[in-house]
Amino acid sequence: MYHPRLKGSPYAMGQKMGNIFKTSGARFPIHMDTFQLEFGKKSGKVLKQYFPEAAEEIRGVTDVIGSDIELFIAWMMCMGCCLDPHEDDGAEMRGCTAFSFVHNGQIIYGRNNDLPPFLAPISKSIYYQPAQKNRFILNTSSFINGEEGINEHGLMAAMTFVVPKVEEIKPGINSVFLVRYILENCKTVKDGLAALESLPIASSCSILLVDRSGKMVVAECNPLKTQLRQPEKNKDGEDFIITVNHFISPAMWEHDASNRDVYFSETRYQTAFHALKDMDHTDSAAHAQAILSGKHGFLCQYEKNLDFDTIWASVFDVTRQKIYRAEGNPGRIKFKEDTRLQFID
């Protein structure tokens, strides 16, 4: 996993990332069908309108590596949302289990990021210090956009992929750019929800938001509708919430094209649910790591023949302002602390 530090204007940060790609000899063979290309270009215009800083950062990358910016943005806007309408099983599938809970006043977030293993070597944990914006850690299997992160105000944002109905995909901001936007521009869950309400959403996804007050919510999103799912209560009356790769709220099932079992998503949900609802623990960060490591049931134990694995796992101790990450499957790789981000007290 790479650990770049990016600082300054959007264009300057993009240039630095572009130079990293150029030095490493990275190649970007972009293949999109007609549907994806049209969707991506229209969504690129939406990105420039609502999140021009991200578009400018992409321009910094493409100017350095010599790529066509319009095509590059179109490709990035398809990430995390755009299935191939000509394939029954779609062009893209993702796993992932994310949760948050409160125990004895301690606010914890945990996530397994599950993807094809070829993405592991190119994944990144980026420390962003954008000019006049929030500082944040962004964990990503791509770049500029990301699957999860936490900012200097203790606001955490994460996405989980949900299989969309192709006819409901609309030009808009995809889930991985929603995460980036919220981390860069928001301080609280309330701010994050206001951002989601103001942005055109491209496809089905779930966005988990947690802040230092202990507020937590999952926004189950679709271009046509957003449903806010509130926390459950554990046996001691403390909050917890989980998101996987299907919608949990019955009101959103009509917008979910999966069989509600994407890479064992129902099994993963039940594992996390029972571990958070019923089990006693004294060290909450260690408890989150144990859940992610599969010690309380199936969460990361994929068979090798699936060509699918947990390529990183994260635990954010929001209360104690600590970040832990296992850069690989947490059943085999130990969590280590990441001390790059300094929080605002």
Side-chain angles (χ1 to χ4, degrees):
M1 202 171 196
Y2 293 97
H3 306 92
R5 295 171 180 252
L6 302 180
K7 183 178 182 180
S9 70
Y11 186 74
M13 293 190 297
Q15 283 185 306
K16 182 171 181 179
M17 183 62 74
N19 279 308
I20 292 171
F21 291 144
K22 190 173 183 179
T23 300
S24 65
R27 297 288 183 268
F28 299 93
I30 296 174
H31 303 291
M32 291 182 287
D33 65 15
T34 303
F35 172 82
Q36 292 168 326
L37 183 61
E38 181 181 0
F39 164 83
K41 286 187 173 181
K42 289 180 178 178
S43 293
K45 293 179 180 178
V46 176
L47 185 73
K48 290 178 182 179
Q49 178 183 351
Y50 287 89
F51 197 6
E53 298 89 348
E56 185 70 358
E57 191 174 334
I58 296 171
R59 187 170 72 87
V61 172
T62 56
D63 280 357
V64 171
I65 65 176
S67 291
D68 179 279
I69 185 172
E70 300 302 325
L71 184 63
F72 208 87
I73 290 178
W75 171 62
M76 295 194 76
M77 297 311 292
C78 289
M79 294 177 181
C81 72
C82 196
L83 299 181
D84 186 337
H86 306 298
E87 296 290 340
D88 291 338
D89 60 353
E92 176 185 37
M93 293 294 280
R94 298 171 180 239
C96 306
T97 309
F99 56 79
S100 183
F101 64 96
V102 178
H103 183 61
N104 291 336
Q106 191 175 0
I107 305 157
I108 298 289
Y109 156 84
R111 176 193 181 89
N112 277 350
N113 210 65
D114 303 342
L115 290 166
F118 79 89
L119 289 167
I122 62 171
S123 292
K124 304 163 193 71
S125 180
I126 306 172
Y127 178 29
Y128 269 105
Q129 302 174 78
Q132 300 178 331
K133 296 286 185 115
N134 298 334
R135 294 174 293 122
F136 56 95
I137 295 287
L138 181 72
N139 295 332
T140 176
S141 57
S142 178
F143 54 96
I144 301 176
N145 57 47
E147 286 96 318
E148 64 169 358
I150 187 168
N151 69 23
E152 62 184 319
H153 302 284
L155 175 64
M156 190 290 310
M159 55 73 66
T160 54
F161 172 78
V162 176
V163 181
K165 293 185 175 180
V166 174
E167 65 273 16
E168 292 183 352
I169 297 173
K170 306 293 182 185
I173 308 297
N174 57 10
S175 58
V176 284
F177 274 111
L178 292 175
V179 168
R180 168 69 190 271
Y181 182 95
I182 290 167
L183 292 172
E184 187 163 318
N185 293 285
C186 302
K187 297 181 180 179
T188 65
V189 167
K190 183 179 179 180
D191 294 343
L193 292 176
L196 291 175
E197 193 171 302
S198 69
L199 297 169
I201 293 171
S203 182
S204 293
C205 64
S206 293
I207 304 293
L208 170 60
L209 300 173
V210 183
D211 67 25
R212 291 172 71 174
S213 75
K215 176 71 174 176
M216 59 185 71
V217 67
V218 171
E220 297 188 339
C221 302
N222 178 270
L224 307 177
K225 182 177 182 179
T226 294
Q227 179 80 21
L228 300 185
R229 183 159 53 84
Q230 301 301 326
E232 308 271 358
K233 296 289 185 182
N234 70 9
K235 62 184 180 62
D236 298 316
E238 299 168 315
D239 286 348
F240 72 95
I241 199 164
I242 306 160
T243 181
V244 287
N245 303 107
H246 59 262
F247 288 137
I248 304 302
S249 304
M252 294 299 292
W253 290 353
E254 64 180 314
H255 303 296
D256 185 338
S258 76
N259 62 357
R260 298 175 52 76
D261 192 21
V262 178
Y263 286 102
F264 313 101
S265 57
E266 180 61 24
T267 299
R268 290 186 279 112
Y269 181 88
Q270 293 299 329
T271 293
F273 182 90
H274 291 294
L276 294 173
K277 186 174 179 64
D278 301 325
M279 294 189 179
D280 293 319
H281 58 277
T282 54
D283 185 329
S284 294
H287 184 53
Q289 293 178 19
I291 296 169
L292 296 171
S293 301
K295 293 180 180 178
H296 295 284
F298 182 88
L299 217 71
C300 63
Q301 303 97 318
Y302 297 102
E303 297 288 341
K304 287 186 178 181
N305 60 4
L306 286 177
D307 194 33
F308 196 76
D309 200 3
T310 299
I311 64 173
W312 82 74
S314 299
V315 171
F316 301 156
D317 184 336
V318 180
T319 305
R320 297 177 182 172
Q321 302 181 359
K322 292 183 178 292
I323 299 169
Y324 304 94
R325 191 171 50 255
E327 298 186 359
N329 188 304
R332 303 184 295 269
I333 303 295
K334 290 183 178 180
F335 284 85
K336 295 182 179 180
E337 186 175 357
D338 181 342
T339 60
R340 290 174 294 171
L341 181 66
Q342 298 299 308
F343 291 82
I344 292 176
D345 292 325

